[in-house]
């Protein structure tokens, strides 16, 4: 496919960690944005352009090596507003010890950032739920969720049992003023092994209590699911139950017939997923925080800026999409 390339000014930044000064060069090098991202978006979007978020898994290498004290100020400079966590740790070499949740919260507050959610292991929800809810409240986040599939038993009964479990966890989160969410990959859109006409995602959606269980739609993986198990429209899920989808993962994919998933993960704006159509087709009801994620961003060259360069270019492309 052909891409439109944009150049960004080269910048250097120096950020201090708590108790440690780390000098890194973070440059925004030439990036790409697709025609769809550059085109004008509809005027009444339900994805606010002033609340663009980032899943920290995208820049996990920088979080680990440089620490939250360097990374969070840089994300604020780029323009991100919402932070979705993928763990609360960094290299102990940064501070000589592990950072604490109150220290992370102070960094968020000091730089005008908001914790919007967190991916925790489904095992933690099963065995350590109240501690995970405690962490969410310390960080001030309204949502806490998991990126695990609801169940590894891909039958109707398996997904119904998982829904029952999520309903219990969700009720506990609601009691603490929080929203529990599940983040999809492609496999949830497969058909049940025991009922090949029944889509697993539909079983989960139907059997979870909308008062207590919410969904974070990973748009890339939903389109992979459509490619592998056709017969549904990702936007229709949101359009039909808009208030169940407070969060989106907005990652881009470039079509590749040689990939079993149909797409390669790329920087936002460098792919050809139909984002302009998606944001129009979900309708104007409710509000969905758009969170950038790119699983492959730590492999970005040159490094520096590496994954931070991908983060900046993707933010610019997302901003262009949302107008």
């Amino acid at each position: 496919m052909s891409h439109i390339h944009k150049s960004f000014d080269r910048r250097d930044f120096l950020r201090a960690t708590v108790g440690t000064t780390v000098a890194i060069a973070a440059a925004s090098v030439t990036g790409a944005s697709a025609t769809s991202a550059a085109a004008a978006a509809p005027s009444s979007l339900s994805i606010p352009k002033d609340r663009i978020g980032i899943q920290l898994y995208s820049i996990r290498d920088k979080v680990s090596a440089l620490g939250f004290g360097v990374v969070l100020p840089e994300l604020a400079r780029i323009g991100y507003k919402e932070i979705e966590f993928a763990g609360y740790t960094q290299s102990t070499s940064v501070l000589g010890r592990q950072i604490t949740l109150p220290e992370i919260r102070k960094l968020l507050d000091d730089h005008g950032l908001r914790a919007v959610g967190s991916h925790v292991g489904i095992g933690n929800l099963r065995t350590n739920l109240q501690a995970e809810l405690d962490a969410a409240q310390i960080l001030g986040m309204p949502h806490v969720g998991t990126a695990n599939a609801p169940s590894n038993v891909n039958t109707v009964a398996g997904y119904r049992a998982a829904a029952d479990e999520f309903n219990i966890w969700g009720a506990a989160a609601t009691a603490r003023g929080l929203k529990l969410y599940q983040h999809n990959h492609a496999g949830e859109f497969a058909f049940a092994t025991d009922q090949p006409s029944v889509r697993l995602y539909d079983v989960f959606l139907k059997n979870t209590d909308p008062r207590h269980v919410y969904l974070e739609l990973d748009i890339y993986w939903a389109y992979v699911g459509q490619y592998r198990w056709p017969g549904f429209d990702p936007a229709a899920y949101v359009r039909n139950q808009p208030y169940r989808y407070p969060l989106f993962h907005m990652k881009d994919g470039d079509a590749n017939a040689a990939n079993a998933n149909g797409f390669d993960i790329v920087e936002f704006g460098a792919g050809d997923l139909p984002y302009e159509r998606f944001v129009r087709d979900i309708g104007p009801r409710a509000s969905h925080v758009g969170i950038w994620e790119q699983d492959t961003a730590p492999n970005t060259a040159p490094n520096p800026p590496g994954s931070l360069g991908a983060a900046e270019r993707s933010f610019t492309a997302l901003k262009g999409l949302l107008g």
Side-chain angles (χ1 to χ4, degrees):
M1 61 175 290
S2 62
H3 300 139
I4 297 175
H5 293 273
K6 295 182 180 179
S7 297
F8 298 92
D9 294 335
R10 182 171 294 274
R11 300 180 180 90
D12 293 328
F13 71 88
L14 181 66
R15 302 296 188 197
T17 58
V18 181
T20 305
T21 301
V22 181
I24 61 174
S28 296
V29 297
T30 300
S33 60
T35 303
S36 59
S43 58
S44 58
L45 296 182
S46 56
I47 309 174
K49 66 180 179 181
D50 58 351
R51 292 188 62 191
I52 297 172
I54 181 172
Q55 164 53 251
L56 293 184
Y57 182 74
S58 306
I59 55 169
R60 57 196 179 276
D61 58 323
K62 303 302 185 190
V63 173
S64 176
L66 303 174
F68 291 102
V70 169
V71 168
L72 293 180
E74 177 62 7
L75 295 178
R77 181 197 68 77
I78 290 171
Y80 286 102
K81 298 297 183 183
E82 310 274 358
I83 303 297
E84 185 180 37
F85 285 86
Y88 311 121
T89 61
Q90 60 188 29
S91 172
T92 55
S93 66
V94 177
L95 297 176
R97 58 171 173 81
Q98 192 50 258
I99 194 169
T100 67
L101 290 173
E103 287 172 332
I104 296 174
R105 174 63 185 271
K106 185 176 188 304
L107 286 168
L108 291 168
D109 292 345
D110 286 350
H111 296 286
L113 298 169
R114 182 190 189 207
V116 71
S118 182
H119 283 185
V120 302
I122 201 167
N124 283 27
L125 297 179
R126 192 170 284 130
T127 63
N128 208 25
L129 178 62
Q130 292 303 323
E132 293 295 351
L133 300 181
D134 288 343
Q137 291 190 317
I138 291 170
L139 291 171
M141 65 179 64
H143 313 94
V144 62
T146 181
N148 293 118
S151 175
N152 292 325
V153 180
N154 293 335
T155 64
V156 171
Y159 263 61
R160 283 178 176 165
D164 291 341
E165 199 169 29
F166 270 81
N167 285 335
I168 293 170
W169 301 335
T174 300
R176 300 278 296 269
L178 301 167
K179 292 181 178 180
L180 175 77
Y181 64 93
Q182 193 271 337
H183 164 284
N184 65 276
H185 289 86
E188 288 91 322
F189 297 100
F191 293 102
T193 56
D194 58 336
Q195 297 187 43
S197 65
V198 177
R199 201 177 297 277
L200 292 168
Y201 193 78
D202 295 342
V203 175
F204 186 72
L205 198 62
K206 179 180 178 181
N207 289 280
T208 46
D209 189 332
R211 299 173 301 171
H212 302 309
V213 180
Y214 298 84
L215 291 306
E216 176 179 61
L217 187 72
D218 187 301
I219 298 166
Y220 169 85
W221 287 118
Y223 277 105
V224 171
Q226 183 191 62
Y227 176 86
R228 295 180 62 184
W229 300 283
F232 73 95
D233 175 13
Y237 281 110
V238 182
R239 188 169 62 248
N240 292 337
Q241 297 193 53
Y243 297 100
R244 293 199 73 182
Y245 290 89
L247 307 173
F248 289 152
H249 268 195
M250 303 185 74
K251 85 174 58 150
D252 210 348
D254 202 18
N256 180 6
N259 186 331
N261 289 328
F263 303 91
D264 296 326
I265 296 173
V266 295
E267 290 183 13
F268 197 89
D272 52 13
L273 288 185
Y275 268 98
E276 187 178 84
R277 186 176 74 223
F278 177 87
V279 298
R280 180 189 68 232
D281 288 354
I282 61 175
R285 293 188 299 156
S287 180
H288 320 279
V289 177
I291 300 170
W292 172 70
E293 184 184 45
Q294 184 188 335
D295 307 36
T296 59
N299 300 326
T300 302
N303 188 10
S307 57
L308 284 171
E312 183 155 14
R313 291 187 295 273
S314 294
F315 176 85
T316 299
L318 267 167
K319 195 82 170 176
L321 171 71
L322 300 177

